[in-house]
């Protein structure tokens, strides 16, 4: 029974890995619930140590992938925030070194017939 559960957990960890690599983060919550259920069942019938090490290695790999993905998402969010700020204002400095912000207005075109 433990061998079957081990295979199910490994399959679930591989699905989770693939979702992370593809950026399909929406399904991770459901995968986590399934994974937690499998692990809870596994605790009732522990597998051999080699299988536990394999599960641990795969779980750690996924954790590192998730951390890297989170860093990437945060980086993009920071960059987008910076771009939004740049679109609306222009900053310059006076001769004394004081910062000045200038509102950017879109150019107005006058059409003549």
């Amino acid at each position: 029974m433990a061998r079957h559960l081990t295979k199910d957990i490994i399959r679930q960890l591989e699905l989770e890995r693939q979702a992370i690599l593809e950026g399909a983060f929406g399904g991770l919550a459901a995968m986590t619930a399934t994974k937690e259920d499998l692990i809870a069942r596994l605790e009732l019938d522990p597998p051999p140590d080699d299988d536990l090490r394999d599960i641990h290695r795969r779980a750690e790999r996924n954790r590192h992938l998730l951390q890297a993905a989170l860093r990437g998402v945060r980086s993009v969010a920071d960059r987008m925030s910076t771009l939004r700020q740049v679109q609306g204002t222009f900053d310059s400095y006076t001769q004394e070194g004081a910062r000045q912000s200038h509102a950017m207005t879109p150019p107005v075109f006058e059409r003549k017939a």
Side-chain angles (χ1 to χ4, degrees):
M1 179 76 164
R3 183 66 72 172
H4 179 69
L5 282 174
T6 300
K7 289 181 181 180
D8 288 345
I9 291 172
I10 288 173
R11 186 177 312 114
Q12 192 65 30
L13 288 168
E14 289 304 312
L15 289 171
E16 181 182 66
R17 176 183 176 269
Q18 195 62 37
I20 295 166
L21 291 174
E22 292 173 359
F25 302 115
L28 289 179
M31 288 181 188
T32 299
T34 302
K35 184 175 58 174
E36 288 173 350
D37 178 57
L38 288 169
I39 290 171
R41 290 178 23 210
L42 191 65
E43 290 173 352
L44 300 174
D45 187 16
D49 287 345
D50 288 344
D51 289 349
L52 284 175
R53 278 191 289 277
D54 188 29
I55 290 170
H56 178 75
R57 181 184 57 79
R58 291 170 193 261
E60 281 296 304
R61 177 197 60 197
N62 288 359
R63 183 178 65 82
H64 289 293
L65 288 172
L66 276 170
Q67 287 174 335
L70 183 57
R71 283 191 305 272
V73 168
R74 285 181 178 152
S75 175
V76 168
D78 290 345
R79 180 71 178 141
M80 289 178 70
S81 174
T82 301
L83 288 173
R84 276 193 295 276
Q85 290 173 353
V86 170
Q87 287 177 349
T89 62
F90 169 71
D91 292 338
S92 66
Y93 296 90
T94 65
Q95 290 179 345
E96 293 80 30
R99 185 174 174 176
Q100 292 179 328
S101 290
H102 307 280
M104 300 281 289
T105 57
V108 178
F109 295 100
E110 183 179 330
R111 296 183 184 256
K112 295 185 178 183

